[in-house]
Amino acid sequence: MVEIFEALGEVLTLHSLLFLLVGCVVGILFGVIPGLTATMGLALILPFTFALEPTHGLILLMGMYVGGISGGLVAATLLGIPGTPSSIATTFDAYPMSKNGEPVRAMGIGIGASVIGGTVGFIFLIFLSPIIAQFAVQLTPADFASLILLSLSLIAVLSADNMIKGITAGVLGVGVSLVGFAPIDGTARLTFGSIQMQAGVEILPLIMGLFAVAIIHSEVQNDQVIEDINLKVKGMAVSLKEVVKNKFNLLRSTLIGVGLGILPGMGSGASNLIAYAQTKQYSRSPEKFGKGVPEGIYSAESSNNSALGGALIPMLTLGIPGDAVTALLLGGLIIHGIQPGPLLMAENPEIVNVVYWGFFFSILLVFVLQLLGLRIFPRVLLMPKQYLFSFLLVMTVVGTFAMNHRMFDVWVMIVFGIIGYILMKAKYPLAPLVLGFVLGPLFEDYFRRALMDMETPVGFLTSPLSAIFLILTVSVLLITFIQEIKKTQTKRKKN
Amino acid sequence: MSIADRYIGLVLLFIGGIAVYVAMTMEHPTFNNDPGPTLMLNVVGVLLIICSFGLLLFPKTKKDDSEEEKDKSSDQVFTRKRTLTMFMLFLAFIAYVFLLDILGFIVATLLFLMISAWLISVERTRTFYFVTPIYSVVTCFAIYYVFQDILAVSLPSGVLF
């Protein structure tokens, strides 16, 4: 424990804090501007860290990591465009709240929830990482498959307003994820002979199309001007009373974030959607979700930030990166001759502690920087539409192209722009589609591995954890369907 | 369900059918106890067909009728004008993406920024005609500089110039 505080001295030097500041500012910029991603930012800055001392290099990377993911809040709130998959659920309520004339409040809630989520993630990281990491590696493919199935069952919760439309969108999302090489055997599916399609559909063109392209065109069509933007608010535009009122929501969402952040592939991309669905399920007024309720923002932002800490746990203790961003961080450690894995804690405890503190101070600094921008960022809404939208459209193209240097990805984005527009106009929820897309391939991979490991599918019920997850899945589905039937019956009686 | 849902149902029925057909005709290696890559295709295909039947056959409710009426009644002339603007913008966007490889990033982006700003703008004052070219040039070169020089992303240079 003493070593942790010794590392604190190294992090709190002027040089270290300067690198932290640069990392956080550049990270936030990458998160804020649609088309630029945290992954891109880390890839850009990684070679520069080579010439730095390990402490400074790691601190710079931590700032970029936290800033890049947290910065997604701004574009998601003000423009309805999630810069990263981790901000998708933020758009559902923060954007409507912003359109209702309260952009500062929406951002204030998001910033507050982010710092709470990030701090919880840090606490888990610092105290429980070895234990959690050991537990995570003991999960069998059957446990993983059942857990993902439980997460997929939340599609029903996200579809509560119109079950058929929501489930259709969810199945469509899973279907889209099947395009390209199948896991395990590498057989090409639904590629229709196209070499380009063999790589499958990536998440960035999908979210850029569904959210950015579709929303911008819809906004141009609507011509709805936000006449009364409330930029003059006190403090963070959030009361402590409201935060306390959301204590269980915050606790549940941060725990979901940490828990899913630890699991490879899930991370903050899935955690914000799952936490949002859970909050909606437990809410007394789920019908208000998607129209600008604070609960939705608290949930999405606290879960995606807590997932950041969660994702660092397997990376540091086992050397397993959960996603592309943590894979780059792993690269950063290796560049400095540090080998992540079970021996890292024993061999280089000072490096681990620097990462811990770098992460914590990044959360605090990003919080301060976002607070400073609380009244500046929303002014983007005052920008003339013709300049804002044309700039954003160009950024979607350039950002999507920059991912793989392929025009094919841009065309994929346009196709999803059309699909997103049609679904939006026909009032289909987009959250189940994205959740299906993110979790579909993971489920298939673990499900098939589990079947290859066991003699019969009964093995899913003989593993205690898998059995619990399956029981929970059935419970979630039953409760949601019963609630939906009751709601329909009440409506019929009223009519 | 509305008329739009019926059309979506038809499209999904077709997609579901294709998924099941591809799964049935696909050749793939088999491993011990592995259901293979066709399992999810079959599941998704069948579920899409079930969902499409739901969209096609679920009766039209009063809520659907009132929503359709609400959509129709909202300032139709103005909406038509803006819908046309949206379609024009979308066509310009597709043309931009298509021309990127031919004209190169700078020329295509300059043209797109000016045309899209002109299309989206409701009022075109003298200031608009003065500001828009400056905005287009500054934005275009700023994006080019950030991506090409700082991020080392090689943007399309075109074949004409």
Side-chain angles (χ1 to χ4, degrees), chain A residues 179-182 188-189 191 193-201 406 408:
Chain A
V179 177
F181 289 126
R189 288 183 301 200
T191 56
S194 159
I195 295 170
Q196 304 267 36
M197 281 175 75
Q198 286 180 350
V201 175
R406 283 198 313 176
F408 177 76

Side-chain angles (χ1 to χ4, degrees), chain A residues 439-459:
Chain A
L439 296 179
L442 285 172
F443 174 72
E444 183 185 12
D445 192 3
Y446 285 114
F447 183 68
R448 285 175 62 186
R449 277 191 213 187
L451 283 176
M452 285 165 82
D453 280 353
M454 56 181 73
E455 292 288 313
T456 59
V458 180

Side-chain angles (χ1 to χ4, degrees), chain A residues 16 73 170 227 272 312 330 389 426 428 433 447 458 461:
Chain A
S16 300
L73 161 76
E227 286 171 355
N272 69 105
L312 287 178
L330 194 77
F389 290 157
Y428 284 71
L433 196 154
F447 183 68
V458 180
L461 295 170

Side-chain angles (χ1 to χ4, degrees), chain A residues 171-439:
Chain A
V171 176
L172 199 61
V174 179
V176 171
S177 75
L178 297 180
V179 177
F181 289 126
I184 297 171
D185 52 59
T187 310
R189 288 183 301 200
L190 300 171
T191 56
F192 306 104
S194 159
I195 295 170
Q196 304 267 36
M197 281 175 75
Q198 286 180 350
V201 175
E202 298 228 24
I203 187 129
L204 191 69
L206 181 108
I207 60 170
M208 280 295 167
L210 285 181
F211 294 93
V213 176
I215 283 180
I216 291 169
H217 282 85
S218 179
E219 286 293 315
V220 169
Q221 186 187 21
N222 278 341
D223 198 37
Q224 198 182 5
V225 180
I226 306 168
E227 286 171 355
D228 188 21
I229 300 174
N230 184 12
L231 294 174
K232 290 172 187 169
V233 285
K234 282 182 184 176
M236 274 180 66
V238 183
S239 67
L240 190 65
K241 197 178 159 189
E242 191 185 87
V243 177
V244 174
K245 201 178 141 193
N246 276 282
K247 57 183 180 293
F248 291 119
N249 176 12
L250 284 165
L251 182 70
R252 186 178 51 242
S253 303
T254 47
L255 289 180
I256 288 173
V258 173
L260 294 182
I262 294 165
L263 303 176
M266 303 279 270
S268 53
S271 70
N272 69 105
L273 289 162
I274 292 166
Y276 182 85
Q278 280 293 323
T279 306
K280 188 177 176 183
Q281 192 179 29
Y282 285 106
S283 171
R284 284 180 190 164
S285 45
E287 70 284 352
K288 287 182 183 168
F289 275 69
K291 292 168 188 166
V293 288
E295 288 95 317
I297 312 172
Y298 278 112
S299 166
E301 279 302 308
S302 58
S303 61
N304 66 14
N305 275 270
S306 60
L308 295 179
L312 287 178
I313 295 173
M315 188 205 85
L316 286 172
T317 55
L318 303 169
I320 303 171
D323 51 23
V325 186
T326 41
L328 284 165
L329 283 177
L330 194 77
L333 286 171
I334 295 166
I335 278 179
H336 290 285
I338 301 149
Q339 188 59 49
L343 294 175
L344 179 66
M345 294 255 192
E347 288 176 358
N348 298 89
E350 68 287 352
I351 290 294
V352 177
N353 293 329
V354 163
V355 173
Y356 286 165
W357 287 118
F359 177 69
F360 181 63
F361 285 109
S362 298
I363 290 165
L364 293 185
L365 198 55
V366 166
F367 173 69
V368 173
L369 289 169
Q370 284 188 327
L371 270 187
L372 291 173
L374 187 62
R375 280 163 186 78
I376 301 165
F377 290 131
R379 291 188 187 274
V380 77
L381 296 175
L382 303 173
M383 198 175 156
K385 258 186 180 185
Q386 62 266 30
Y387 302 132
L388 179 66
F389 290 157
S390 54
F391 166 72
L392 289 175
L393 282 173
V394 171
M395 285 307 292
T396 60
V397 172
V398 180
T400 307
F401 174 80
M403 188 180 61
N404 292 322
H405 296 83
R406 283 198 313 176
M407 282 309 283
F408 177 76
D409 291 326
V410 181
W411 289 111
V412 169
M413 178 190 76
I414 290 177
V415 169
F416 279 102
I418 299 169
I419 294 172
Y421 178 81
I422 293 169
L423 294 182
M424 212 161 38
K425 290 291 161 187
K427 296 186 171 62
Y428 284 71
L430 294 179
L433 196 154
V434 181
L435 196 62
F437 180 80
V438 173
L439 296 179

